[in-house]
Amino acid sequence: MPKGYPPSVFVSSTCYDLNQVRADMKRFLENMGLDPILSETPAFPVSPQTSPVDNCLQAVKQRADIFVLIVGARYGSQNESGKSITNLEYYEAKAKGVPVYVFVLKQILNVLPFCSKNPQADYEGTVDTPKLFEFVEELRNAKDHWVFEFEEAQHIMNTLRSQLAYLFMEGLVLREKVK
């Protein structure tokens, strides 16, 4: 990214169940001086000839400097491979090598051990599909990022504020080394 532009933060999550969290995140990121990228905003880059999934993946690939994944109780829309859009966005961010911050609803993390022991049980009151548990397990087993729990948007914002400060300091240290 050229000088003079704020870093772009791609916020990945399901939209309908986390609508208020996403709105809060947009305001928070703007207040931090960052450029939030959320698919429901008018500024989201849309190519009319491209599917919604491909538009989202292109936005991650072309614009995301930082990636924030927020996992609630919905797995979300799936492509033909059975992966959700948020799964695919996460993979795209990992392939790009940008900093990834993952937040998972505390309720999901609390149920996860029971699901692991009894995967055939009915968890319909907690998640829309068991695939969500599989995705959260994958996120937790990844070695290159932390998984933070949250119960409300403020938990995400508090954690992210600290983590972005650490990222900023890391950038300053690298800048000094380059000098």
Side-chain angles (χ1 to χ4, degrees):
M1 182 72 60
K3 275 199 233 181
Y5 292 90
S8 295
V9 180
F10 190 98
V11 178
S12 176
S13 75
T14 52
C15 290
Y16 301 115
D17 59 327
L18 296 172
N19 190 35
Q20 186 60 54
V21 171
R22 292 175 66 80
D24 292 344
M25 287 299 300
K26 181 180 183 300
R27 264 189 311 282
F28 166 75
L29 293 168
E30 288 172 338
N31 288 338
M32 294 284 293
L34 300 167
D35 178 21
I37 303 171
L38 293 97
S39 62
E40 68 274 20
T41 63
F44 189 79
V46 172
S47 172
Q49 302 85 5
T50 308
S51 73
V53 173
D54 289 337
N55 271 302
C56 289
L57 297 178
Q58 280 299 107
V60 173
K61 187 183 292 186
Q62 294 174 353
R63 296 206 39 223
D65 298 310
I66 298 169
F67 184 83
V68 175
L69 174 61
I70 304 170
V71 180
R74 292 192 67 238
Y75 187 65
S77 301
Q78 300 173 40
N79 70 356
E80 54 282 344
S81 73
K83 295 291 185 189
S84 73
I85 295 173
T86 53
N87 278 149
L88 298 171
E89 290 168 345
Y90 166 74
Y91 298 144
E92 192 66 48
K94 299 267 291 182
K96 186 175 179 180
V98 297
V100 172
Y101 298 95
V102 178
F103 298 88
V104 178
L105 189 63
K106 184 177 181 178
Q107 171 187 345
I108 303 303
L109 293 173
N110 289 342
V111 174
L112 198 57
F114 301 106
C115 177
S116 298
K117 290 179 184 172
N118 191 2
Q120 302 307 319
D122 181 12
Y123 297 99
E124 194 172 300
T126 306
V127 297
D128 62 346
T129 175
K131 285 185 174 189
L132 182 71
F133 291 126
E134 293 170 20
F135 183 42
V136 171
E137 275 296 338
E138 178 183 345
L139 293 169
R140 290 182 63 189
N141 290 330
K143 304 288 187 226
D144 54 355
H145 61 74
W146 287 74
V147 173
F148 300 96
E149 67 181 38
F150 78 96
E151 291 180 279
E152 57 189 48
Q154 192 61 51
H155 296 150
I156 298 170
M157 292 182 281
N158 290 343
T159 301
L160 203 50
R161 184 178 289 110
S162 295
Q163 294 305 313
L164 291 173
Y166 296 138
L167 183 63
F168 182 73
M169 188 64 208
E170 185 180 304
L172 291 174
V173 169
L174 289 172
R175 184 175 187 257
E176 193 61 33
K177 286 182 181 178
V178 169
K179 278 179 153 180

